[in-house]
Coordinates of all heavy atoms in Angstrom, one line a residue:
M1 N 109.1 -103.8 -16.6 CA 108.3 -105.1 -16.4 C 106.9 -104.8 -16.0 O 106.0 -105.5 -16.4 CB 109.1 -105.9 -15.4 CG 108.4 -107.1 -15.0 SD 109.2 -108.5 -15.8 CE 108.1 -109.8 -15.3
N2 N 106.7 -103.8 -15.2 CA 105.4 -103.5 -14.6 C 104.4 -103.3 -15.8 O 103.3 -103.8 -15.7 CB 105.5 -102.3 -13.7 CG 104.2 -102.2 -12.9 OD1 103.5 -103.1 -12.7 ND2 104.0 -101.0 -12.3
G3 N 104.7 -102.6 -16.8 CA 103.7 -102.4 -17.9 C 103.4 -103.7 -18.6 O 102.3 -103.9 -19.0
M4 N 104.4 -104.5 -18.7 CA 104.2 -105.8 -19.4 C 103.2 -106.7 -18.5 O 102.4 -107.4 -19.0 CB 105.5 -106.5 -19.6 CG 105.3 -107.9 -20.2 SD 106.9 -108.9 -20.4 CE 107.0 -109.4 -18.7
I5 N 103.4 -106.7 -17.2 CA 102.6 -107.5 -16.3 C 101.2 -107.1 -16.4 O 100.3 -107.9 -16.6 CB 103.1 -107.4 -14.9 CG1 104.4 -108.1 -14.7 CG2 102.1 -108.0 -13.9 CD1 105.1 -107.9 -13.4
N6 N 100.9 -105.8 -16.3 CA 99.5 -105.3 -16.4 C 98.8 -105.6 -17.7 O 97.7 -106.1 -17.7 CB 99.4 -103.8 -16.1 CG 99.8 -103.5 -14.7 OD1 99.6 -104.3 -13.8 ND2 100.2 -102.3 -14.4
S7 N 99.5 -105.4 -18.8 CA 98.8 -105.6 -20.1 C 98.6 -107.1 -20.4 O 97.6 -107.5 -20.9 CB 99.7 -105.0 -21.3 OG 101.0 -105.6 -21.3
N8 N 99.6 -107.9 -20.0 CA 99.4 -109.4 -20.2 C 98.3 -109.9 -19.4 O 97.5 -110.8 -19.8 CB 100.7 -110.1 -19.8 CG 101.7 -110.0 -20.9 OD1 101.4 -109.7 -22.1 ND2 103.0 -110.2 -20.6
V9 N 98.1 -109.5 -18.1 CA 97.1 -110.0 -17.3 C 95.7 -109.5 -17.7 O 94.7 -110.3 -17.8 CB 97.3 -109.7 -15.8 CG1 96.1 -110.0 -14.9 CG2 98.6 -110.3 -15.3
E10 N 95.6 -108.3 -18.1 CA 94.3 -107.7 -18.5 C 93.9 -108.3 -19.9 O 92.7 -108.4 -20.1 CB 94.4 -106.2 -18.7 CG 94.6 -105.5 -17.3 CD 95.0 -104.0 -17.4 OE1 95.1 -103.5 -18.6 OE2 95.2 -103.4 -16.4
N11 N 94.8 -108.7 -20.8 CA 94.4 -109.1 -22.1 C 94.1 -110.6 -22.2 O 93.7 -111.1 -23.2 CB 95.5 -108.8 -23.1 CG 95.6 -107.3 -23.3 OD1 94.7 -106.6 -23.2 ND2 96.8 -106.8 -23.7
N12 N 94.3 -111.3 -21.1 CA 94.1 -112.8 -21.1 C 92.7 -113.1 -20.8 O 92.3 -113.1 -19.6 CB 95.0 -113.4 -20.1 CG 95.1 -114.9 -20.4 OD1 94.2 -115.5 -20.9 ND2 96.2 -115.5 -20.0
A13 N 91.9 -113.4 -21.8 CA 90.5 -113.6 -21.6 C 90.1 -114.9 -20.9 O 89.1 -115.1 -20.4 CB 89.7 -113.6 -23.0
R14 N 91.0 -115.9 -21.0 CA 90.7 -117.2 -20.4 C 91.1 -117.2 -18.9 O 90.8 -118.2 -18.2 CB 91.5 -118.3 -21.1 CG 91.0 -118.5 -22.5 CD 91.8 -119.6 -23.2 NE 93.2 -119.3 -23.2 CZ 94.1 -120.1 -23.5 NH1 93.9 -121.4 -23.8 NH2 95.4 -119.8 -23.6
G15 N 91.7 -116.2 -18.4 CA 92.0 -116.1 -16.9 C 93.2 -116.9 -16.6 O 93.4 -117.1 -15.4
L16 N 94.1 -117.2 -17.5 CA 95.3 -117.9 -17.3 C 96.4 -116.9 -17.1 O 96.4 -115.8 -17.7 CB 95.7 -118.9 -18.4 CG 94.7 -119.9 -18.7 CD1 95.1 -120.7 -20.0 CD2 94.5 -120.9 -17.6
L17 N 97.4 -117.3 -16.2 CA 98.6 -116.4 -16.1 C 99.4 -116.5 -17.3 O 99.7 -117.7 -17.8 CB 99.3 -116.8 -14.8 CG 98.8 -116.4 -13.5 CD1 99.5 -117.1 -12.4 CD2 98.8 -115.0 -13.3
P18 N 99.9 -115.4 -17.9 CA 100.8 -115.5 -19.0 C 102.1 -116.1 -18.7 O 102.6 -116.0 -17.5 CB 101.0 -114.0 -19.4 CG 99.9 -113.3 -18.7 CD 99.5 -114.0 -17.5
Y19 N 102.7 -116.9 -19.6 CA 104.0 -117.6 -19.4 C 105.0 -116.7 -18.9 O 105.8 -117.0 -18.0 CB 104.3 -118.3 -20.6 CG 105.5 -119.2 -20.5 CD1 105.4 -120.4 -19.7 CD2 106.7 -118.9 -21.1 CE1 106.5 -121.2 -19.6 CE2 107.8 -119.7 -20.9 CZ 107.7 -120.9 -20.1 OH 108.8 -121.8 -20.0
P20 N 105.2 -115.4 -19.5 CA 106.3 -114.6 -19.0 C 106.1 -114.2 -17.5 O 107.1 -114.0 -16.8 CB 106.2 -113.3 -19.8 CG 105.5 -113.8 -21.1 CD 104.6 -114.9 -20.6
I21 N 104.9 -114.1 -17.0 CA 104.7 -113.8 -15.6 C 105.1 -115.0 -14.7 O 105.8 -114.8 -13.7 CB 103.2 -113.5 -15.3 CG1 102.7 -112.3 -16.1 CG2 102.9 -113.4 -13.8 CD1 103.4 -111.0 -15.7
I22 N 104.8 -116.2 -15.2 CA 105.2 -117.4 -14.4 C 106.7 -117.5 -14.4 O 107.3 -117.8 -13.3 CB 104.6 -118.7 -15.1 CG1 103.0 -118.6 -15.0 CG2 105.1 -119.9 -14.4 CD1 102.3 -119.6 -15.9
I23 N 107.4 -117.3 -15.5 CA 108.8 -117.3 -15.5 C 109.4 -116.3 -14.6 O 110.3 -116.6 -13.8 CB 109.4 -117.2 -17.0 CG1 108.9 -118.3 -17.9 CG2 110.9 -117.0 -17.0 CD1 109.4 -119.6 -17.5
A24 N 108.9 -115.1 -14.6 CA 109.5 -114.0 -13.8 C 109.2 -114.3 -12.3 O 110.1 -114.1 -11.5 CB 108.8 -112.7 -14.2
A25 N 108.1 -114.8 -12.0 CA 107.8 -115.1 -10.6 C 108.6 -116.3 -10.1 O 109.2 -116.3 -9.0 CB 106.3 -115.5 -10.4
N26 N 108.9 -117.3 -11.0 CA 109.8 -118.4 -10.7 C 111.2 -117.9 -10.4 O 111.9 -118.5 -9.6 CB 109.7 -119.4 -11.8 CG 110.6 -120.6 -11.5 OD1 111.7 -120.7 -12.2 ND2 110.2 -121.5 -10.7
K27 N 111.6 -116.8 -11.0 CA 112.9 -116.3 -10.8 C 113.0 -115.4 -9.6 O 114.1 -114.8 -9.3 CB 113.4 -115.6 -12.1 CG 113.7 -116.5 -13.3 CD 114.2 -115.8 -14.5 CE 114.4 -116.7 -15.6 NZ 114.8 -116.0 -16.8
G28 N 111.9 -115.1 -9.0 CA 111.8 -114.3 -7.8 C 111.5 -112.8 -8.0 O 111.7 -112.0 -7.1
E29 N 111.0 -112.4 -9.2 CA 110.7 -111.1 -9.5 C 109.4 -110.7 -8.6 O 108.4 -111.3 -8.7 CB 110.3 -110.9 -10.9 CG 109.7 -109.7 -11.4 CD 110.6 -108.4 -11.2 OE1 111.7 -108.6 -11.5 OE2 110.0 -107.4 -10.7
P30 N 109.6 -109.7 -7.7 CA 108.5 -109.4 -6.7 C 107.2 -109.0 -7.4 O 106.1 -109.4 -7.0 CB 109.1 -108.2 -6.0 CG 110.5 -108.3 -6.1 CD 110.8 -108.9 -7.5
E31 N 107.3 -108.2 -8.5 CA 106.0 -107.7 -9.1 C 105.3 -108.9 -9.8 O 104.0 -109.0 -9.7 CB 106.3 -106.6 -10.2 CG 106.7 -105.3 -9.6 CD 105.6 -104.7 -8.8 OE1 104.4 -104.7 -9.2 OE2 105.8 -104.2 -7.7
A32 N 106.0 -109.8 -10.4 CA 105.4 -111.0 -11.0 C 104.8 -111.9 -9.9 O 103.7 -112.4 -10.1 CB 106.4 -111.8 -11.8
M33 N 105.5 -112.0 -8.8 CA 105.0 -112.9 -7.7 C 103.7 -112.2 -7.1 O 102.7 -112.9 -6.8 CB 106.0 -113.0 -6.6 CG 105.5 -113.9 -5.5 SD 105.3 -115.7 -6.0 CE 107.0 -116.2 -6.1
K34 N 103.6 -110.9 -7.1 CA 102.5 -110.2 -6.6 C 101.3 -110.5 -7.6 O 100.1 -110.7 -7.1 CB 102.7 -108.7 -6.6 CG 101.6 -107.9 -6.1 CD 102.0 -106.4 -6.0 CE 100.9 -105.5 -5.5 NZ 101.2 -104.1 -5.5
V35 N 101.5 -110.6 -8.9 CA 100.5 -110.9 -9.9 C 100.0 -112.3 -9.6 O 98.7 -112.5 -9.6 CB 101.0 -110.7 -11.3 CG1 100.0 -111.2 -12.3 CG2 101.3 -109.2 -11.5
V36 N 100.9 -113.2 -9.4 CA 100.5 -114.6 -9.1 C 99.6 -114.7 -7.9 O 98.5 -115.3 -7.9 CB 101.7 -115.5 -9.0 CG1 101.3 -116.9 -8.6 CG2 102.5 -115.6 -10.4
V37 N 100.0 -114.1 -6.8 CA 99.3 -114.1 -5.5 C 97.9 -113.5 -5.7 O 96.9 -114.0 -5.2 CB 100.1 -113.5 -4.4 CG1 99.2 -113.3 -3.2 CG2 101.3 -114.3 -4.1
L38 N 97.8 -112.3 -6.4 CA 96.6 -111.7 -6.7 C 95.6 -112.5 -7.5 O 94.4 -112.6 -7.3 CB 96.8 -110.3 -7.3 CG 97.3 -109.2 -6.4 CD1 97.6 -108.0 -7.3 CD2 96.4 -108.9 -5.3
H39 N 96.2 -113.2 -8.5 CA 95.5 -114.1 -9.4 C 94.7 -115.2 -8.6 O 93.6 -115.5 -8.9 CB 96.4 -114.7 -10.4 CG 95.7 -115.6 -11.4 ND1 95.0 -115.1 -12.5 CD2 95.6 -117.0 -11.5 CE1 94.5 -116.1 -13.2 NE2 94.9 -117.3 -12.6
Y40 N 95.4 -115.8 -7.6 CA 94.8 -116.9 -6.8 C 94.2 -116.3 -5.5 O 93.7 -117.2 -4.7 CB 95.9 -117.9 -6.5 CG 96.2 -118.7 -7.8 CD1 97.4 -118.4 -8.5 CD2 95.4 -119.7 -8.3 CE1 97.7 -119.2 -9.6 CE2 95.7 -120.4 -9.4 CZ 96.9 -120.1 -10.1 OH 97.2 -120.8 -11.2
G41 N 94.2 -115.1 -5.3 CA 93.7 -114.5 -4.1 C 92.3 -114.9 -3.7 O 92.0 -115.3 -2.5
S42 N 91.3 -114.8 -4.6 CA 89.9 -115.1 -4.3 C 89.8 -116.6 -4.0 O 89.0 -117.0 -3.2 CB 89.0 -114.7 -5.4 OG 89.3 -115.3 -6.6
Y43 N 90.5 -117.4 -4.7 CA 90.5 -118.9 -4.5 C 91.0 -119.2 -3.1 O 90.4 -120.0 -2.3 CB 91.3 -119.6 -5.6 CG 91.2 -121.1 -5.4 CD1 90.1 -121.8 -5.4 CD2 92.4 -121.8 -5.3 CE1 90.1 -123.2 -5.3 CE2 92.5 -123.2 -5.1 CZ 91.2 -123.9 -5.1 OH 91.2 -125.2 -5.0
M44 N 92.1 -118.6 -2.7 CA 92.7 -118.9 -1.4 C 91.7 -118.3 -0.3 O 91.6 -119.0 0.7 CB 94.0 -118.2 -1.3 CG 95.1 -118.8 -2.1 SD 96.8 -118.2 -1.8 CE 96.6 -116.6 -2.5
T45 N 91.0 -117.3 -0.6 CA 90.1 -116.7 0.4 C 88.9 -117.7 0.6 O 88.5 -118.0 1.7 CB 89.5 -115.4 -0.1 OG1 90.6 -114.4 -0.1 CG2 88.4 -114.8 0.9
S46 N 88.4 -118.3 -0.5 CA 87.3 -119.2 -0.4 C 87.7 -120.5 0.3 O 86.9 -121.1 1.1 CB 86.7 -119.6 -1.8 OG 87.7 -120.3 -2.6
L47 N 89.0 -120.9 0.1 CA 89.5 -122.1 0.9 C 89.7 -121.8 2.3 O 89.7 -122.7 3.2 CB 90.8 -122.5 0.3 CG 90.8 -123.1 -1.1 CD1 92.2 -123.4 -1.6 CD2 89.9 -124.4 -1.2
S48 N 89.8 -120.5 2.7 CA 90.0 -120.1 4.1 C 88.7 -119.8 4.9 O 88.8 -119.5 6.1 CB 90.9 -118.8 4.1 OG 92.1 -119.0 3.4
M49 N 87.6 -120.0 4.3 CA 86.4 -119.7 5.0 C 86.1 -120.8 6.0 O 86.2 -122.0 5.7 CB 85.2 -119.6 4.0 CG 85.3 -118.4 3.0 SD 85.3 -116.8 3.8 CE 83.6 -116.7 4.3
R50 N 85.7 -120.4 7.2 CA 85.4 -121.3 8.2 C 84.1 -120.9 8.9 O 83.8 -119.7 9.1 CB 86.5 -121.4 9.3 CG 87.8 -121.9 8.7 CD 87.7 -123.4 8.4 NE 88.9 -123.9 7.8 CZ 89.0 -124.3 6.5 NH1 87.9 -124.3 5.8 NH2 90.1 -124.7 6.1
K51 N 83.3 -121.9 9.3 CA 82.1 -121.6 10.1 C 82.5 -121.4 11.6 O 83.1 -122.3 12.2 CB 81.1 -122.7 10.0 CG 79.7 -122.4 10.6 CD 78.8 -123.6 10.5 CE 78.4 -123.9 9.1 NZ 77.3 -124.9 9.1
L52 N 82.2 -120.3 12.1 CA 82.5 -119.9 13.5 C 81.2 -119.7 14.3 O 80.1 -119.5 13.8 CB 83.3 -118.6 13.5 CG 84.7 -118.7 12.7 CD1 85.3 -117.3 12.7 CD2 85.6 -119.7 13.3
R53 N 81.4 -119.7 15.6 CA 80.2 -119.5 16.5 C 80.6 -118.3 17.5 O 81.7 -118.3 18.1 CB 80.0 -120.8 17.3 CG 78.7 -120.8 18.1 CD 78.5 -122.1 18.7 NE 78.5 -123.2 17.8 CZ 77.4 -123.7 17.1 NH1 76.2 -123.2 17.3 NH2 77.6 -124.8 16.4
D54 N 79.7 -117.4 17.6 CA 80.0 -116.3 18.5 C 79.5 -116.6 20.0 O 79.0 -117.7 20.2 CB 79.3 -115.0 18.0 CG 77.8 -115.0 18.0 OD1 77.2 -115.9 18.6 OD2 77.3 -114.1 17.3
E55 N 79.7 -115.6 20.9 CA 79.3 -115.9 22.3 C 77.9 -116.2 22.5 O 77.5 -116.9 23.5 CB 79.7 -114.6 23.1 CG 81.1 -114.2 23.1 CD 81.5 -113.4 21.9 OE1 80.6 -112.7 21.3 OE2 82.7 -113.5 21.5
Q56 N 77.0 -115.8 21.7 CA 75.6 -116.0 21.8 C 75.2 -117.4 21.2 O 74.0 -117.8 21.2 CB 74.7 -114.9 21.2 CG 74.7 -113.6 21.9 CD 76.0 -112.8 21.7 OE1 76.6 -112.9 20.6 NE2 76.5 -112.0 22.6
G57 N 76.1 -118.0 20.5 CA 75.8 -119.3 19.9 C 75.4 -119.2 18.5 O 75.1 -120.3 17.9
S58 N 75.4 -118.0 17.9 CA 75.1 -117.9 16.5 C 76.3 -118.3 15.6 O 77.4 -118.0 16.0 CB 74.7 -116.4 16.2 OG 73.6 -116.0 17.0
T59 N 76.0 -119.0 14.5 CA 77.0 -119.4 13.6 C 77.1 -118.4 12.5 O 76.1 -117.8 12.0 CB 76.9 -120.8 13.1 OG1 75.6 -120.9 12.4 CG2 76.9 -121.8 14.2
Y60 N 78.3 -118.2 12.0 CA 78.6 -117.3 10.8 C 79.8 -117.8 10.1 O 80.7 -118.5 10.7 CB 78.7 -115.9 11.2 CG 79.8 -115.6 12.2 CD1 81.0 -115.1 11.7 CD2 79.7 -115.8 13.5 CE1 82.1 -114.8 12.5 CE2 80.8 -115.5 14.4 CZ 82.0 -115.1 13.9 OH 83.0 -114.8 14.7
W61 N 80.0 -117.4 8.9 CA 81.2 -117.7 8.1 C 82.1 -116.5 8.1 O 81.7 -115.4 8.1 CB 80.8 -118.0 6.6 CG 80.1 -119.3 6.4 CD1 78.7 -119.5 6.5 CD2 80.7 -120.5 6.3 NE1 78.5 -120.8 6.3 CE2 79.6 -121.5 6.1 CE3 82.0 -121.0 6.2 CZ2 79.9 -122.9 6.0 CZ3 82.2 -122.4 5.9 CH2 81.2 -123.2 5.9
S62 N 83.4 -116.9 8.3 CA 84.4 -115.8 8.3 C 85.7 -116.4 7.7 O 85.9 -117.6 7.6 CB 84.7 -115.4 9.8 OG 85.7 -114.4 9.9
I63 N 86.6 -115.5 7.4 CA 87.9 -115.9 6.8 C 88.9 -116.2 7.9 O 89.0 -115.4 8.9 CB 88.5 -114.8 5.9 CG1 87.6 -114.5 4.8 CG2 89.9 -115.1 5.5 CD1 87.9 -113.2 4.0
D64 N 89.5 -117.4 7.9 CA 90.5 -117.7 8.8 C 91.9 -117.2 8.2 O 92.4 -117.7 7.3 CB 90.6 -119.3 9.0 CG 91.6 -119.7 10.1 OD1 92.6 -119.0 10.2 OD2 91.3 -120.7 10.7
E65 N 92.3 -116.1 8.8 CA 93.5 -115.4 8.3 C 94.7 -116.2 8.4 O 95.6 -116.1 7.5 CB 93.7 -114.0 9.0 CG 92.6 -113.0 8.8 CD 92.6 -112.5 7.3 OE1 93.7 -112.6 6.6 OE2 91.6 -112.0 6.9
D66 N 94.9 -117.1 9.4 CA 96.0 -117.9 9.5 C 96.1 -118.9 8.3 O 97.1 -119.1 7.7 CB 96.0 -118.7 10.8 CG 97.2 -119.6 11.0 OD1 98.3 -119.0 10.9 OD2 97.0 -120.8 11.4
I67 N 95.0 -119.5 8.0 CA 94.9 -120.4 6.8 C 95.2 -119.7 5.5 O 96.0 -120.2 4.7 CB 93.5 -121.2 6.8 CG1 93.4 -122.1 8.0 CG2 93.4 -121.9 5.5 CD1 92.1 -122.8 8.1
R68 N 94.6 -118.5 5.4 CA 94.9 -117.8 4.1 C 96.3 -117.4 4.0 O 96.9 -117.6 2.9 CB 94.0 -116.5 4.1 CG 94.1 -115.7 2.8 CD 93.1 -114.8 2.5 NE 93.0 -113.7 3.5 CZ 92.2 -112.7 3.4 NH1 91.4 -112.5 2.3 NH2 92.2 -111.8 4.3
E69 N 97.0 -117.0 5.1 CA 98.4 -116.7 5.0 C 99.3 -117.9 4.8 O 100.3 -117.9 4.0 CB 98.9 -116.0 6.3 CG 98.5 -114.5 6.3 CD 99.1 -113.8 5.1 OE1 100.3 -113.9 4.8 OE2 98.3 -113.1 4.5
R70 N 98.9 -119.0 5.3 CA 99.6 -120.3 5.0 C 99.5 -120.7 3.6 O 100.4 -121.1 3.0 CB 99.1 -121.5 5.9 CG 99.5 -121.3 7.4 CD 98.9 -122.4 8.2 NE 99.1 -122.3 9.6 CZ 99.3 -123.3 10.4 NH1 99.2 -124.5 10.0 NH2 99.5 -123.0 11.7
L71 N 98.3 -120.6 3.0 CA 98.1 -120.8 1.6 C 98.9 -119.9 0.7 O 99.5 -120.3 -0.3 CB 96.6 -120.8 1.2 CG 95.7 -121.8 1.8 CD1 94.2 -121.4 1.5 CD2 96.0 -123.2 1.1
R72 N 98.9 -118.7 1.1 CA 99.7 -117.7 0.3 C 101.2 -118.0 0.4 O 101.9 -118.0 -0.7 CB 99.5 -116.3 0.9 CG 100.2 -115.2 0.2 CD 99.9 -113.8 0.9 NE 100.7 -112.8 0.3 CZ 101.9 -112.4 0.8 NH1 102.4 -113.1 1.8 NH2 102.6 -111.5 0.3
A73 N 101.7 -118.4 1.5 CA 103.1 -118.7 1.7 C 103.5 -120.0 0.9 O 104.5 -120.1 0.2 CB 103.5 -118.9 3.2
K74 N 102.6 -121.0 0.9 CA 102.8 -122.2 0.2 C 102.8 -122.0 -1.3 O 103.6 -122.6 -2.0 CB 101.7 -123.2 0.6 CG 102.0 -124.6 0.1 CD 103.3 -125.2 0.7 CE 103.4 -126.6 0.2 NZ 104.7 -127.2 0.6
L75 N 101.9 -121.1 -1.8 CA 101.8 -120.8 -3.2 C 103.2 -120.2 -3.6 O 103.7 -120.6 -4.6 CB 100.7 -119.8 -3.5 CG 100.6 -119.3 -4.9 CD1 100.4 -120.4 -5.9 CD2 99.5 -118.2 -5.0
M76 N 103.7 -119.2 -2.8 CA 104.9 -118.5 -3.2 C 106.1 -119.5 -3.2 O 106.9 -119.5 -4.1 CB 105.1 -117.4 -2.2 CG 104.1 -116.3 -2.4 SD 104.2 -115.0 -1.2 CE 105.7 -114.2 -1.6
Q77 N 106.1 -120.4 -2.2 CA 107.2 -121.4 -2.1 C 107.1 -122.3 -3.3 O 108.2 -122.7 -3.9 CB 107.1 -122.2 -0.8 CG 107.4 -121.6 0.4 CD 107.0 -122.4 1.7 OE1 106.5 -123.5 1.6 NE2 107.4 -121.9 2.8
S78 N 105.9 -122.7 -3.7 CA 105.7 -123.6 -4.8 C 106.1 -123.0 -6.2 O 106.7 -123.6 -7.0 CB 104.3 -124.1 -4.9 OG 103.9 -124.8 -3.8
V79 N 105.8 -121.7 -6.3 CA 106.2 -121.0 -7.6 C 107.7 -120.9 -7.6 O 108.3 -121.1 -8.7 CB 105.6 -119.6 -7.6 CG1 106.2 -118.7 -8.7 CG2 104.0 -119.7 -7.8
L80 N 108.3 -120.6 -6.5 CA 109.8 -120.5 -6.6 C 110.5 -121.8 -6.7 O 111.5 -121.9 -7.4 CB 110.3 -119.8 -5.3 CG 109.9 -118.3 -5.1 CD1 110.2 -117.9 -3.7 CD2 110.6 -117.5 -6.1
A81 N 109.9 -122.9 -6.3 CA 110.5 -124.2 -6.4 C 110.2 -124.9 -7.6 O 110.8 -125.9 -8.0 CB 110.1 -125.1 -5.2
F82 N 109.2 -124.4 -8.4 CA 108.8 -125.1 -9.7 C 109.9 -125.1 -10.7 O 110.6 -124.1 -11.0 CB 107.6 -124.3 -10.2 CG 106.9 -125.0 -11.4 CD1 106.1 -126.2 -11.1 CD2 107.1 -124.6 -12.7 CE1 105.5 -126.8 -12.2 CE2 106.5 -125.3 -13.7 CZ 105.7 -126.4 -13.5
K83 N 110.2 -126.4 -11.2 CA 111.2 -126.5 -12.2 C 110.7 -126.3 -13.6 O 109.7 -127.0 -14.0 CB 111.8 -128.0 -12.1 CG 112.3 -128.3 -10.8 CD 113.6 -127.5 -10.4 CE 114.1 -127.9 -9.1 NZ 114.6 -126.8 -8.3
I84 N 111.2 -125.3 -14.2 CA 110.7 -125.0 -15.6 C 111.7 -125.4 -16.6 O 112.9 -125.3 -16.5 CB 110.5 -123.4 -15.7 CG1 109.4 -123.0 -14.8 CG2 110.1 -123.1 -17.2 CD1 109.0 -121.5 -14.8

């Protein structure tokens, strides 16, 4: 399965997840779920960005790891619960 996952993801020019990957992830295949999580990783990271303030009062943007992990867990739950 691993070879199929890599070739399908690399060959998809539109950036969509291949249907066999979605089906495998929905059935709980760990490698397929990893591909799904990686596919949405940068989007989840951008949603997790928060403006923070340090001790000197300077503001900066940083990733809220708690939010990113919650998004990751929700994505995985949704993929497993999706009715195909």
Side-chain angles (χ1 to χ4, degrees):
M1 173 106 188
N2 195 17
M4 180 186 76
I5 290 173
N6 290 337
S7 63
N8 281 339
V9 173
E10 291 169 3
N11 291 334
N12 193 334
R14 293 183 297 168
L16 301 175
L17 285 169
Y19 188 70
I21 300 295
I22 296 167
I23 296 296
N26 180 254
K27 291 180 180 179
E29 170 64 42
E31 287 297 316
M33 185 63 76
K34 183 178 178 181
V35 170
V36 172
V37 170
L38 288 173
H39 181 78
Y40 289 103
S42 61
Y43 180 58
M44 290 186 291
T45 297
S46 69
L47 292 174
S48 303
M49 295 299 287
R50 296 290 175 249
K51 191 184 289 189
L52 303 175
R53 190 177 306 270
D54 64 13
E55 298 83 26
Q56 290 79 29
S58 301
T59 58
Y60 62 97
W61 288 92
S62 182
I63 298 168
D64 186 325
E65 292 295 337
D66 184 51
I67 291 174
R68 185 164 59 175
E69 281 303 309
R70 288 178 186 212
L71 289 169
R72 181 178 171 274
K74 188 64 177 176
L75 172 63
M76 293 172 70
Q77 289 172 354
S78 298
V79 167
L80 292 170
F82 188 76
K83 303 294 183 218
I84 296 179

